[in-house]
Amino acid sequence: MIKKAIKKIVGLALILVILSFFVFALLYLSPGDPAEKRLTSQGVAVTKEVLDAERQRLGLLKPFLVRYGEWLVCVIRGDFGVSFKDDMPVAPKLFTGLKNTTILASASLLLSLAVSFLFSIVSALRKNKISDNVIKLLSFIGNSLPNFLISVLLMYFLCIKIKVFPVIAAGDLKGLFMPVLSLSIPMTGRFIRQMRAEFLEQLKEDYVIGMKGRGVKKRYIVFNVLRNSLGHIFTIIALQIGTLMGGSVVIETIFRWPGIGKLVMDSITARDYPVIMGFVVIMGTIYVLINQLSDIIGRMLDPRTNI
């Protein structure tokens, strides 16, 4: 058991190192000079001597492998370096952004789950009835619309026409509503379709037919169907969390929500490589951990997967 756990941890660490190496290489090969970007944004006259001095200060003149090795050693020690943009430590920036993104993602996920469970159960129990067809249509529309289009439509109607919410999220509860809704609508559409399919599969199982034959009350049948679907549904939710964290980049930028997505978009524009690499490491770690955690919890909820 211990050997298996150690093997897993080593495997996860190796995945993160390979991921960071490829991203570091892509940033190294990508066009644009961080030193020139910084000097230009500060209004400094960019001469060859000034540019070379700035590149030297930022460590950009070192060979690729030396730069990557130094960065990796610092990250292992818990030091994400200093921002090229403003010379501030990267770690506090990332963790502040991650906290705001986690708030946004958690609120969106909870709202989606609450709506999805209710509508998918109703849809499965009333298969091919009017309510089922209406729910299927709404989930199809919600799933078909991209986040940014939903954001623009919501912004137009709720912020400009009705004026009940601010266009720019100020980081407070009122500002959270629009980004949450923009992320929740397409996610709810996907959840309803996937959960409905899982509930319908369960309703065909022999134990459900047997319970119906014995005259068991409907609420007990629904309870058993829900319990036996949890393993598969949890996997669906876990996979969606990764998509949610990545998808929040666009929404945070549109509504100016101060999350890690907006931070990294600003950093890409400024060629702020330390912040971008820190983002990759943190998001990669979250993805890997969520996948492993969902695998473990899925096996606990549904022991049949261990057979």
Side-chain angles (χ1 to χ4, degrees), residues 20 61-62 67 80 98 115 144 162 177 253 265 285:
S20 67
L61 298 179
K62 294 177 184 175
R67 284 172 56 190
F80 285 89
L98 184 63
V115 176
S144 304
I162 307 177
F177 182 81
T253 305
M265 286 298 286
T285 306

Side-chain angles (χ1 to χ4, degrees), residues 104-121 139 142 147 150 179-195 199 233 236-237 240-241 244:
L104 174 61
S106 302
S108 305
L109 185 64
L110 289 175
L111 178 62
S112 294
L113 286 177
V115 176
S116 302
F117 264 108
L118 177 65
F119 280 84
S120 56
I121 290 170
S139 65
N147 283 333
I150 294 173
V180 165
L181 210 56
S182 301
L183 283 173
S184 298
I185 289 174
M187 188 162 51
T188 303
R190 284 192 289 277
F191 277 159
I192 288 176
R193 292 165 68 85
Q194 291 167 329
M195 288 181 185
F199 291 148
I233 289 173
I236 295 170
I237 295 169
Q240 194 61 41
I241 291 173
L244 182 63

Side-chain angles (χ1 to χ4, degrees), residues 124-144:
L125 291 176
R126 299 182 63 80
K127 186 183 175 186
N128 295 331
K129 304 261 176 83
I130 294 176
S131 53
D132 178 36
N133 291 328
V134 171
I135 291 171
K136 281 196 295 183
L137 177 65
L138 292 176
S139 65
F140 174 77
I141 294 171
N143 191 32
S144 304

Side-chain angles (χ1 to χ4, degrees), residues 21 23 61 69 78 89 92 95 97 126 132 143-144 148 152 168 182 200 208 222 243 256 290:
F21 180 82
V23 176
L61 298 179
F95 288 119
R126 299 182 63 80
D132 178 36
N143 191 32
S144 304
F148 70 90
V152 173
I168 297 174
S182 301
L200 286 175
V208 175
V222 171
T243 308
R256 301 189 66 77
I290 286 174

Side-chain angles (χ1 to χ4, degrees), residues 48 180 212 236 254:
K48 188 175 182 308
V180 165
K212 285 179 179 175
I236 295 170
I254 291 173

